[in-house]
Amino acid sequence: MLNYALLLDPSLPIGGFTRFYGLEERFRAGHLNSLQDLKHYMRDDWYPQITTLDGMAIKSLYAAIQQNDGWRIALIDKMLHAQHPSLQHVKESRLSGQRLLKLTKALYPWLAFDQLEDTLTQYNAIGTLATVHTWINSLLGSDIEQTIHGYFATAISFCIEDAFRLLNPPYEEKNPLIDHMTSELLTTWKKINKPTPSSYQRHLFHSHRTSSYITQPPYMSHSSQLNASRPFSSSVLFKHLPASL
């Protein structure tokens, strides 16, 4: 678990998280000129998005994984990237998830990630960062809140790293700001962390009821839906552990 956490270290250019917060565009447009502007943006725009979208999606993904529901995993994954219509965001999200999965497979060769990859391929899902992060943490035995808190903390770090690269404020202000904004984000999460995963899924189904490619993959027949809901075999989630373990 420690090794996985190191992959997410924002100081590492090979880390799993992609920088897609739109800060550079805001900076060029003159809307990001100071750390105070950054705080306003994060509190007003970014906190609501990452908590109600990513945070609740991770909760729903845990439920789908526990229920062995591959179709629902793919559905949530598609809904995640559909919330961000930017083509650049979709590309970055796909690459970020793929990079994180590749690195983690190299780190944990005895864990079976093929089930997730098969699910994403079967339903033409992209494998967003939140989806891959959640799958990895579920295999590593992390609980939901640990997974969400880790996702939030790393996202905060990358967002502030990007802002410091653009604004070039005093370096010693960075870590205190990361700590402060992470604490704020977790407080925001606690306030909204009330709906159950099923209520979140109903909301997403309602929001995207006209998007047929999300609610039902175009190549998916009724019989294939039934087959898709078959349980994942728990025995395939883990390959043989190394003899040294």
Side-chain angles (χ1 to χ4, degrees):
M1 189 64 194
L2 176 60
N3 288 335
Y4 174 69
L6 292 176
L7 289 182
L8 307 181
D9 189 327
S11 66
L12 297 177
I14 62 169
F17 281 72
T18 296
R19 307 173 183 188
F20 50 75
Y21 305 108
L23 295 183
E24 189 165 345
E25 289 79 3
R26 297 181 67 85
F27 178 76
R28 290 176 178 175
H31 301 312
L32 180 65
N33 300 305
S34 66
L35 293 182
Q36 195 61 37
D37 290 340
L38 174 66
K39 292 177 183 178
H40 286 313
Y41 162 70
M42 294 178 75
R43 290 165 179 161
D44 296 341
D45 299 330
W46 194 61
Y47 286 0
Q49 175 181 302
I50 197 170
T51 52
T52 59
L53 182 59
D54 298 65
M56 295 307 296
I58 290 173
K59 287 187 67 174
S60 295
L61 283 165
Y62 257 91
I65 291 170
Q66 291 169 356
Q67 295 166 12
N68 303 320
D69 193 337
W71 181 78
R72 189 148 50 108
I73 291 171
L75 174 67
I76 296 168
D77 184 75
K78 289 184 177 185
M79 289 174 174
L80 276 169
H81 86 81
Q83 292 289 331
H84 304 282
S86 165
L87 178 60
Q88 182 63 26
H89 175 90
V90 172
K91 290 180 178 178
E92 290 177 341
S93 182
R94 182 193 296 270
L95 290 174
S96 183
Q98 289 175 345
R99 183 167 63 248
L100 181 58
L101 185 58
K102 182 177 180 180
L103 288 169
T104 311
K105 286 171 68 175
L107 185 63
Y108 303 104
W110 59 91
L111 294 181
F113 295 99
D114 53 329
Q115 188 70 61
L116 174 62
E117 293 174 305
D118 290 346
T119 295
L120 297 176
T121 299
Q122 180 180 2
Y123 302 117
N124 198 28
I126 72 167
T128 63
L129 184 60
T131 302
V132 175
H133 175 77
T134 304
W135 182 272
I136 292 169
N137 275 268
S138 69
L139 287 184
L140 293 176
S142 301
D143 64 30
I144 295 175
E145 289 303 310
Q146 285 178 316
T147 300
I148 293 173
H149 288 189
Y151 185 91
F152 285 171
T154 306
I156 285 280
S157 295
F158 269 112
C159 186
I160 292 177
E161 286 276 353
D162 271 1
F164 268 67
R165 177 177 56 83
L166 295 168
L167 300 173
N168 197 28
Y171 181 79
E172 59 270 15
E173 295 183 21
K174 183 173 69 172
N175 286 339
L177 181 61
I178 289 174
D179 292 342
H180 178 71
M181 301 307 282
T182 301
S183 178
E184 274 195 358
L185 179 56
L186 293 179
T187 298
T188 301
W189 168 247
K190 290 178 182 178
K191 291 179 180 178
I192 67 100
N193 184 22
K194 294 179 181 179
T196 62
S198 59
S199 67
Y200 170 78
Q201 290 159 12
R202 285 195 298 271
H203 167 70
L204 287 180
F205 272 109
H206 177 75
S207 300
H208 297 277
R209 62 187 181 276
T210 60
S211 302
S212 59
Y213 87 99
I214 291 178
T215 55
Q216 180 173 323
Y219 48 83
M220 192 175 184
S221 66
H222 176 69
S223 60
S224 63
Q225 287 188 42
L226 295 177
N227 291 334
S229 64
R230 67 184 184 278
F232 297 160
S233 172
S234 59
S235 62
V236 303
L237 291 180
F238 291 86
K239 297 176 181 175
H240 294 297
L241 293 176
S244 60
L245 297 180

